[in-house]
Amino acid sequence: FIQMYAEKIHLRGTRHGTMLVFRDVTQETEVDRLKTELVSTVSHELRTPLTSIIGFTELLRYRSLQPDRVDQYLGMIHQETLRLEDLISNLLDVQRMESGQQAYEYQPERLHDILSETIALHQGASQHHALTLECDTNLLVYGDRNRLSQLFTNLLHNAIKYSPDGGKVAVCVTHDQADTIEISVQDKGIGIPESAISKLFDKFYRVDNSASRKIGGTGLGLAICKEIAEGHGGSIHVDSSVGDGSTFTITLPKYVAEDKMSS
Ligand code: ADP
């Protein structure tokens, strides 16, 4: 973005002419956009769970309820509190990554273990979706276990969130290439419009449709995934079509044990 304005030139009190000034404000516009997005996302994402928590705690305090109702409302409060925790940890992660404070602790890890643990956690939380895993049990990656878990957690969370109940989510790992491993997370959910794909991994970006608005979110999950994939020397990309579902693919460098031992 270029901003243009006229500046009058005065010398010893006499007007000598007019200067046209061109300023590249691309960076500033982006910072402004991020600030606006941050304020609106945070206020919306804080307000929605807080409203539910206030509502349910009032019901619990002032009404005499059957024990199963009490359980149900406590469950809702717990869920909304987790949503708040999620928001805060996403914001902190983004801030840490931006300031370069996110330290990675790389070591050889069994990819199958990381994926099966993450899948088990999601399967436990959502019995309405069928999650499957295809991965060679001996395959190693050189990575930070916590960060990789966070990456797959975000992808699985989205696959479930943007799919109707009964949806299938398939995680497949292929390593036929000489030097890379591909991990794909495929869902049969609402899909992503072509026009959104180029902005999908930007911070705070959310697809502007009624489904995404209803579901809620911060637009930070995929930006974090991209940072983590790139932090491992890899990349992320998506294939999707509206109504058919989405496949997110992470490409990571293959781990060659001898290389690491000799270095
Ligand atoms: P959010 O917190 O909004 O889910 P993300 O950064 O994880 O943020 O995702 C950005 C946007 O990409 C989402 O708002 C949603 O519109 C879209 N999206 C992400 N994953 C999927 C998916 N599996 N299916 C459909 N849309 C998705």
Side-chain angles (χ1 to χ4, degrees):
F1 291 95
I2 304 291
Q3 188 185 57
M4 185 189 86
Y5 57 91
E7 191 88 62
K8 289 179 191 128
I9 304 171
H10 291 270
L11 272 181
R12 284 188 291 273
T14 327
R15 185 167 163 190
H16 271 255
T18 308
M19 178 169 63
L20 276 183
V21 183
F22 295 89
R23 256 170 47 131
D24 182 352
V25 291
T26 316
Q27 190 98 24
E28 288 156 51
T29 314
E30 178 61 5
V31 171
D32 283 347
R33 182 189 74 81
L34 286 177
K35 267 195 211 148
T36 314
E37 296 279 4
L38 174 70
V39 172
S40 85
T41 303
V42 170
S43 46
H44 176 264
E45 285 298 303
L46 279 179
R47 193 178 292 274
T48 316
L50 277 178
T51 309
S52 304
I53 292 170
I54 292 167
F56 288 122
T57 43
E58 275 174 1
L59 285 174
L60 288 169
R61 282 185 78 189
Y62 302 118
R63 296 262 175 92
S64 60
L65 299 162
Q66 299 293 331
D68 56 338
R69 266 292 139 89
V70 172
D71 261 5
Q72 186 194 351
Y73 293 167
L74 284 175
M76 305 273 208
I77 292 171
H78 185 233
Q79 210 173 325
E80 295 301 307
T81 318
L82 291 180
R83 191 166 152 186
L84 288 176
E85 191 192 28
D86 235 30
L87 167 69
I88 292 163
S89 64
N90 274 344
L91 285 171
L92 289 176
D93 281 338
V94 165
Q95 199 271 336
R96 253 184 252 130
M97 285 170 179
E98 298 219 312
S99 58
Q101 288 166 2
Q102 185 69 280
Y104 286 84
E105 287 173 26
Y106 301 101
Q107 58 180 46
E109 294 285 356
R110 229 173 264 282
L111 187 57
H112 182 275
D113 293 355
I114 300 179
L115 289 170
S116 58
E117 252 172 42
T118 320
I119 288 176
L121 280 177
H122 281 83
Q123 190 67 83
S126 168
Q127 269 106 35
H128 306 296
H129 292 82
L131 311 184
T132 57
L133 171 63
E134 258 177 59
C135 176
D136 184 340
T137 43
N138 296 318
L139 197 60
L140 295 179
V141 286
Y142 194 66
D144 182 312
R145 192 184 179 97
N146 292 334
R147 296 277 82 85
L148 288 175
S149 296
Q150 186 183 14
L151 161 58
F152 300 124
T153 294
N154 288 356
L155 292 181
L156 285 172
H157 184 71
N158 282 349
I160 291 171
K161 196 162 108 170
Y162 298 106
S163 299
D165 281 359
K168 291 192 172 69
V169 177
V171 181
C172 294
V173 180
T174 50
H175 51 104
D176 338 314
Q177 311 285 337
D179 45 12
T180 54
I181 299 175
E182 288 196 341
I183 307 130
S184 63
V185 179
Q186 183 186 44
D187 67 61
K188 299 280 175 209
I190 62 172
I192 299 158
E194 171 90 56
S195 58
I197 302 275
S198 63
K199 291 165 276 182
L200 210 64
F201 300 98
D202 290 354
K203 279 178 284 268
F204 298 112
Y205 179 78
R206 306 200 68 229
V207 175
D208 188 16
N209 58 22
S210 60
S212 291
R213 266 194 302 276
K214 204 157 71 197
I215 294 165
T218 58
L220 291 174
L222 289 179
I224 293 172
C225 289
K226 182 168 184 266
E227 287 274 350
I228 298 174
E230 290 176 355
H232 283 78
S235 61
I236 181 167
H237 88 268
V238 60
D239 288 309
S240 184
S241 70
V242 172
D244 285 341
S246 314
T247 303
F248 285 84
T249 306
I250 303 291
T251 305
L252 293 178
K254 221 174 223 177
Y255 171 63
V256 186
E258 308 83 69
D259 278 358
K260 304 295 167 200
M261 283 192 228
S262 57
S263 62

